[in-house]
Amino acid sequence: MKQYKVYRYCIEEAPEGMSEESVYDLVAEQLATMGFDTFIQESGLLMAYISAEICTLPEKGVLEIEFPPLRCAYTSELLPEGHYNAVWEGKEAKPITVVNQLYIRAPHHAHSPNRNLLEILIAPKDTFGTASHPTTHMMLEMILKSDLRGKRGIDVGCGTGLLGITALLRGAEEVHFIDTDERAIRNTQENLLLNNLSANNLYLGTLSESGLSDMDFLLVNIHRNIILSDLPLYRTTLRHKGILLLSGFFEEEDAATIRQAALEQEFTPLYEMQKEGWAALGFYCR
């Protein structure tokens, strides 16, 4: 059985007005690139779990992020074999309801008492990429506002695959799932099968490497810099009147910068949302 280490992160410095949850979401995103695969926020701390076999971090120290400026002190502990699974069974994120239409749960959770809700199963491998994060929640709200029935699209940077799975269960004809992280592709494959969906359209790599085009919609919940760099690619990947749904960036300056760049690529505004300091934007191709 694989043995894990838990790292406990505590905020030392963060921008004024930024919520604890938002700080730890950014820290989790950074740690995911280092091999951490599970994150739990509890009692003012972020607990991050990583296989002891691949962990190269010191036992304690400080994690710093340049933008926005963040500092988190951390300590660590080697867990007994089998303890990791027990953590997930007892403390994993609870089911989430989105605008009284979706009910997102893990396989071991009970069904929603409201049978009118569309249920989506997400295997509890990583809380990042479930609706617990404001950006994912807003993306889901925009998907629910959009008519994707019979349409073809791409979940760019798919993570758990939740966004694309939602689109499929809402009537999309076909969704391609793309991510540069092999673990995300494996988790998306598992989640597609959990929801009785085909797991054939998975691509490990970038959108440009996939060669996909003539799409009706793109679902993009990733870093602002990647969005700004790839907006011309989004434009050529989408058909006329195709829908582009974006999140993963802060409100105000970030949102304004992305909005202006999208307008320059001949996108027309469709949606605009804010939640807990984060923003989401929707557009269609003129």
Side-chain angles (χ1 to χ4, degrees), residues 5-273:
K5 295 183 73 173
V6 57
Y7 280 74
R8 297 178 176 87
Y9 288 82
C10 179
I11 300 170
E12 285 194 339
E13 178 185 334
E16 184 177 355
M18 189 174 186
S19 70
E20 178 182 282
E21 182 179 8
S22 294
V23 170
Y24 284 143
D25 284 335
L26 286 174
V27 172
E29 184 176 10
Q30 177 92 358
L31 294 176
T33 67
M34 304 178 192
F36 287 80
D37 57 26
T38 301
F39 308 98
I40 298 172
Q41 294 181 35
E42 183 179 273
S43 303
L45 299 174
L46 173 71
M47 261 88 89
Y49 294 81
I50 186 171
S51 168
E53 293 179 1
I54 65 172
C55 181
T56 58
L57 278 180
E59 300 299 314
K60 60 182 180 179
V62 176
L63 173 70
E64 297 188 69
I65 297 178
E66 290 186 8
F67 181 81
L70 304 174
R71 282 173 53 90
C72 290
Y74 66 83
T75 58
S76 64
E77 175 187 358
L78 183 64
L79 297 174
E81 289 189 8
H83 181 73
Y84 173 75
N85 289 337
V87 168
W88 262 119
E89 289 298 323
K91 297 180 179 178
E92 184 256 324
K94 300 297 185 292
I96 294 169
T97 301
V98 180
V99 294
N100 206 33
Q101 294 186 52
L102 297 181
Y103 184 74
I104 301 162
R105 66 178 181 90
H108 61 268
H109 288 145
H111 291 282
S112 168
N114 183 351
R115 296 297 179 176
N116 293 321
L117 299 183
L118 174 63
E119 285 201 358
I120 299 177
L121 293 176
I122 297 295
K125 297 294 176 64
D126 184 345
T127 56
F128 202 86
T130 71
S132 60
H133 191 277
T135 61
T136 313
H137 199 284
M138 289 186 291
M139 288 291 293
L140 290 169
E141 289 190 51
M142 291 193 295
I143 291 171
L144 293 173
K145 290 175 180 286
S146 305
D147 183 3
L148 303 182
R149 290 173 297 178
K151 304 293 179 62
R152 300 170 61 244
I154 306 173
D155 186 345
V156 182
C158 58
T160 62
L162 172 59
L163 301 181
I165 288 170
T166 302
L168 286 168
L169 294 178
R170 292 275 296 175
E173 177 184 337
E174 182 180 68
V175 176
H176 297 265
F177 297 83
I178 296 176
D179 206 294
T180 58
D181 189 334
E182 186 175 357
R183 293 167 303 168
I185 295 298
R186 289 198 301 267
N187 191 208
T188 293
Q189 181 181 44
E190 179 179 3
N191 290 328
L192 283 163
L193 296 175
L194 280 174
N195 291 279
N196 298 314
L197 297 170
S198 169
N200 294 327
N201 297 322
L202 302 171
Y203 187 86
L204 178 63
T206 64
L207 176 59
S208 61
E209 291 168 343
S210 73
L212 293 168
S213 62
D214 201 33
M215 292 290 145
D216 297 300
F217 63 90
L218 294 179
L219 312 175
V220 186
N221 184 15
I222 54 181
H223 193 275
R224 66 181 291 278
N225 292 342
I226 299 176
I227 292 173
L228 288 169
S229 173
D230 285 356
L231 271 169
L233 177 61
Y234 302 156
R235 185 69 181 81
T236 57
T237 302
L238 285 166
R239 305 175 63 183
H240 175 60
K241 293 189 177 179
I243 295 173
L244 174 64
L245 304 182
L246 301 172
S247 195
F249 45 88
F250 295 111
E251 58 181 311
E252 298 179 355
E253 184 176 345
D254 281 0
T257 300
I258 290 172
R259 186 188 307 106
Q260 181 58 40
L263 292 175
E264 292 171 3
Q265 291 296 323
E266 299 186 341
F267 285 103
T268 298
L270 185 60
Y271 309 123
E272 183 164 350
M273 303 178 69

